[in-house]
Amino acid sequence: MPDPTPIPDTELMRRLKGGGADAEEALRELITRWQKPVMGFIQRSLPDPAEAEDLTQGVFIQLWKASGRYQPTARFSTFLFTLARNLTLNEIRRRARHPSDSMDAPHPEFEDHPLRQIPGPRTEEPTEETTRSELESLIETALRDLPEKQRTAIVLCREGELSYEEIADILGTSLQATKSLIHRGREVLKARLKPYLRSGTWDPS
Amino acid sequence: MHSDPQIPDWMERIHSGKATPGEVDRLRRHPGVDPSQLEEELRLNRLLETLPPVSVPSNLASRVLDAIHLEAQQTRRRHRRDGWLSWIAWRPAWASVAVACLALVGWRIQSTHRTTLARSVLIVSEATAVPGMEALVDFEAIQWLESRPEPGDLELMAALSSP
């Protein structure tokens, strides 16, 4: 019968840091636990799923490399998502240097805003034919087009299931600023997805 | 709107999608909450929940470990190669140091030699002056006398001193 008490992440990190035979097993366990939220976070920032998959792999390789820097006093989720955020930002910057495939190039005048904007919310009512996949695509695009910090805060809150304090640590902002980022991000999303938020126009059930 | 200190906490739980139906109901009934705003938040949550869950490849852990093994191998190879390269790269530096050491030792030997020579010259120059040429006029006669056996001299001295 397997041990019902899971080994804490910090203990797994200690084993990974120590190297040896235990390290590989510890990393495997950490990947199993965290691959879904990490991939969810990256996929909400990068449009290409294959690229998101490669980047997720890169995050765990980076975790192995950076395990020596990990201090058990820090929350593991903060450490992992900081790595994930940095790698994602590097990838977005790399894509911005090659505008042909850039989706998140920063605005030349307003760094906080992406260069490319999706069309504003449609004024007409969404038709019955609006399929679920079209809607998913619209939501994903709206999320991706949020300023980086707002998007990261919202995605970490939902996909990573992190607390506001953890998100503030990852973003390097105060708790109040993090709350404000989430609030503003959600306001932007509500504005962009307004036609789909009206009561009765769309029912997921 | 947020006069009740609990409202921000409940709103945070709604933002993170963790609010229980009971918490939502309490917020709906709360006089300090704008019902239309609350409904909008809940609808946005429902929209965000429609996003399909990410599909993670089942072999991600194996891929990561394979990549790590490969990278570790490459790092070992690079270290070995770098070891040789650094030895080769350092060789001119070591040779320069050796040449400098030899030059220093050579200079030191030469310097010691010169000092010794200078001291010798000083000693010679300080020695008693050599007698003049006039002292050598009867040199051969003196030499000859010195080469004579001592008993003859004594006999001569004895003959001269006898009355």
Side-chain angles (χ1 to χ4, degrees):
Chain A
M1 193 178 155
D3 186 359
T5 319
I7 305 167
D9 293 330
T10 46
E11 170 58 21
L12 290 172
M13 274 308 280
R14 194 191 60 76
R15 291 181 192 179
L16 183 61
K17 201 174 172 178
D22 276 358
E24 207 165 284
E25 208 44 54
L27 181 61
R28 195 180 281 276
E29 178 60 28
L30 284 170
I31 294 171
T32 309
R33 276 183 203 178
W34 289 94
Q35 57 186 357
K36 207 168 173 181
V38 169
M39 184 131 169
F41 167 68
I42 294 172
Q43 206 163 307
R44 301 291 176 237
S45 305
L46 294 173
D48 183 358
E51 214 167 2
E53 208 174 292
D54 287 345
L55 210 57
T56 306
Q57 187 178 322
V59 169
F60 288 106
I61 294 172
Q62 198 62 35
L63 177 70
W64 167 68
K65 284 184 188 169
S67 58
R69 292 205 312 264
Y70 175 71
Q71 296 298 320
T73 46
R75 272 179 281 219
F76 173 72
S77 54
T78 312
F79 186 73
L80 180 67
F81 279 103
T82 303
L83 290 178
R85 183 186 176 224
N86 288 343
L87 282 182
T88 309
L89 278 177
N90 286 347
E91 181 58 25
I92 290 171
R93 284 192 197 111
R94 189 190 66 78
R95 293 166 71 94
R97 283 198 296 271
H98 304 280
S100 57
D101 58 0
S102 171
M103 300 283 282
D104 287 280
H107 194 284
E109 286 175 22
F110 308 103
E111 209 180 53
D112 207 25
H113 294 78
L115 181 63
R116 194 176 64 83
Q117 298 280 345
I118 55 165
R122 287 188 236 165
T123 47
E124 71 271 20
E125 291 291 317
T127 60
E128 292 287 328
E129 295 82 48
T130 306
T131 62
R132 192 185 176 93
S133 65
E134 280 173 340
L135 185 65
E136 284 168 9
S137 167
L138 277 171
I139 300 167
E140 280 185 341
T141 312
L143 256 178
R144 262 201 293 277
D145 284 345
L146 284 176
E148 191 273 325
K149 281 192 171 178
Q150 290 179 14
R151 180 181 63 233
T152 301
I154 288 175
V155 173
L156 285 178
C157 186
R158 296 194 64 85
E159 300 279 343
E161 296 187 1
L162 301 188
S163 67
Y164 279 24
E165 287 86 357
E166 287 169 306
I167 297 169
D169 279 350
I170 292 165
L171 293 176
T173 54
S174 67
L175 185 61
Q176 202 49 47
T178 304
K179 286 178 185 176
S180 169
L181 279 171
I182 291 175
H183 176 75
R184 276 188 285 141
R186 285 179 69 93
E187 288 302 311
V188 174
L189 283 179
K190 279 190 274 183
R192 286 184 185 170
L193 300 168
K194 199 164 186 171
Y196 306 95
L197 286 172
R198 283 185 194 156
S199 179
T201 54
W202 184 77
D203 187 354
S205 57
Chain B
M1 178 186 153
H2 291 166
S3 53
D4 188 331
Q6 270 198 310
I7 293 175
D9 291 340
W10 289 338
M11 289 307 282
E12 278 176 28
R13 289 181 62 75
I14 281 179
H15 287 169
S16 61
K18 291 176 196 162
T20 61
E23 286 170 333
V24 174
D25 276 350
R26 273 201 296 273
L27 271 175
R28 275 196 179 116
R29 288 197 305 270
H30 201 287
V33 174
D34 177 355
S36 64
Q37 199 183 344
L38 177 64
E39 291 310 315
E40 223 175 38
E41 292 288 345
L42 292 171
R43 280 191 215 112
L44 178 62
N45 275 1
R46 280 162 64 194
L47 274 186
L48 292 173
E49 278 158 19
T50 61
L51 286 176
V54 289
S55 58
V56 181
S58 56
N59 62 346
L60 186 77
S62 305
R63 277 168 51 186
V64 170
L65 290 171
D66 286 348
I68 287 173
H69 289 155
L70 188 71
E71 199 163 318
Q73 255 177 6
Q74 283 171 347
T75 308
R76 273 198 297 275
R77 259 188 235 135
R78 202 167 42 239
H79 280 168
R80 274 204 294 272
R81 193 196 59 204
D82 288 355
W84 279 105
L85 278 177
S86 69
W87 163 240
I88 291 167
W90 275 98
R91 268 168 57 178
W94 285 117
S96 308
V97 170
V99 166
C101 285
L102 283 174
L104 189 71
V105 169
W107 174 80
R108 186 80 187 134
I109 290 170
Q110 257 192 347
S111 164
T112 311
H113 182 67
R114 276 184 196 149
T115 309
T116 314
L117 199 67
R119 277 202 195 113
S120 306
V121 169
L122 197 66
I123 289 166
V124 169
S125 67
E126 282 172 355
T128 318
V130 179
M133 285 299 289
E134 61 278 9
L136 300 173
V137 171
D138 298 325
F139 182 73
E140 282 176 5
I142 293 164
Q143 286 281 309
W144 180 79
L145 278 173
E146 280 185 352
S147 64
R148 295 270 304 178
E150 202 175 310
D153 288 346
L154 292 172
E155 279 171 21
L156 180 62
M157 290 294 285
L160 288 173
S161 61
S162 63

